[in-house]
Amino acid sequence: MAAHREARLDSPPLPSPRGTLSAAVISALRQGTAPPLQETGGADPYGEDLQLALYLLYELHYQGFHGVDDDREWDPDLLTLRRALERRFLAALRTDVPGPVPLQQALDELLTEPVGDPVTSVRHYLDAAPAEALATVNLMSLLGLPRALRGALVGHFATVEVTSSPGSRRLAKAMRRADAGPAAARFYDEPGLEPDIVFGIQATVLLEDRLGTEVLRAWHAGRSALRTPAGAPGPGVPCSVMSVVQGRRRRAAVHPVPESSMSVTVGL
């Protein structure tokens, strides 16, 4: 019997830098060296440079980049820089979210209307994707890799899933009815993490709204939301359209946007 091999897409090339942080990461990845010491305290946590640098470091855990050794995934110098960028990004999120509210209230605020079907990745249009799109992608890794942020990851998961499938509480009940075992149910209702879950919800909404605002601003100005022309669509997409739609639905009553116009704006 032939051994199963996981299908793997070709790793994309490294993109162009957008500042000193992303330039340092790209140079280190391309040359196989340690990145030079970087001052991250003054970097815009939502800006093009930091978000691209963080995306590049996270992507080493997933598809990687053409010409970059897979061993760089756990390079201690790159991990040190990633941690500094994460702290800058995470501190900004904690400052900018609305703050603690009851978990049920945070979930209720998500239940407004269904959203469209999600589409996939930014990696094939990385040079064109704006920082707002990269931030929504980076948040998944920021919350998903460290165990300490597992509660926030559940909040992120709930925000994405609650409008397209049952909420986490209903999923936990379904797990029990199906005798899936306590570990499966615990993923959805681990006790004592309510404040972190609320933070995950609020951080996801904050970044989706930032992306939605940028797309709407571009649409009203009659321009693309992409940084550079992306050309014909390929196997990926230029930004997280799911995030665009979720951010847009919260402002639909104030700025109604035709579906066809939104598609043109993001370059699909």
Side-chain angles (χ1 to χ4, degrees):
M1 182 175 180
H4 171 73
R5 298 187 64 181
E6 181 182 0
R8 182 177 176 88
L9 298 174
D10 291 337
S11 296
L14 288 165
S16 300
R18 303 183 190 178
T20 57
L21 293 173
S22 53
V25 172
I26 290 170
S27 176
L29 294 178
R30 183 170 286 137
Q31 298 176 18
T33 59
L37 293 177
Q38 297 293 316
E39 175 55 51
T40 61
D44 179 357
Y46 304 118
E48 302 283 354
D49 190 28
L50 185 144
Q51 289 299 325
L52 178 59
L54 194 54
Y55 177 89
L56 295 172
L57 294 170
Y58 282 145
E59 186 62 20
L60 296 176
H61 295 286
Y62 306 113
Q63 195 67 33
F65 294 97
H66 179 72
V68 176
D69 196 311
D70 287 345
D71 288 342
R72 300 307 300 279
E73 176 183 1
W74 300 112
D75 183 286
D77 295 310
L78 294 176
L79 291 175
T80 297
L81 176 56
R82 193 190 84 189
R83 184 57 179 149
L85 299 175
E86 287 177 330
R87 286 174 174 164
R88 178 71 174 154
F89 186 28
L90 187 59
L93 290 172
R94 293 194 184 282
T95 298
D96 294 341
V97 297
V101 297
L103 176 57
Q104 190 58 53
Q105 177 183 333
L107 290 171
D108 288 344
E109 291 173 354
L110 300 175
L111 298 174
T112 55
E113 63 179 79
V115 299
D117 294 332
V119 284
T120 53
S121 139
V122 303
R123 66 170 59 92
H124 297 285
Y125 294 92
L126 191 50
D127 275 323
E132 292 81 4
L134 296 180
T136 65
V137 178
N138 287 338
L139 182 66
M140 291 184 281
S141 296
L142 175 68
L143 304 181
L145 290 174
R147 184 176 182 275
L149 294 174
R150 64 193 184 281
L153 178 64
V154 172
H156 173 76
F157 173 83
T159 307
V160 173
E161 294 295 327
V162 75
T163 51
S164 58
S165 66
S168 292
R169 182 177 300 177
R170 293 169 61 190
L171 283 171
K173 291 180 179 179
M175 291 292 180
R176 294 188 183 96
R177 288 197 301 270
D179 293 326
R186 183 178 176 82
F187 177 84
Y188 294 102
D189 61 0
E190 184 171 354
L193 296 179
E194 285 83 357
D196 288 339
I197 295 173
V198 169
F199 168 68
I201 292 172
Q202 292 178 339
T204 304
V205 171
L206 172 71
L207 295 180
E208 288 175 350
D209 282 352
R210 286 178 60 88
L211 176 56
T213 297
E214 175 59 25
V215 171
L216 284 171
R217 183 183 297 118
W219 182 79
H220 286 301
R223 61 175 176 82
S224 172
L226 302 177
R227 299 178 67 251
T228 59
V237 294
C239 63
S240 173
V241 176
M242 177 178 65
S243 296
V244 173
V245 175
Q246 286 178 326
R248 182 188 61 186
R249 66 184 172 85
R250 279 183 281 273
R251 287 177 296 278
V254 179
H255 300 291
V257 178
E259 190 71 30
S260 59
S261 298
M262 182 62 71
S263 297
V264 171
T265 302
V266 297
L268 295 178

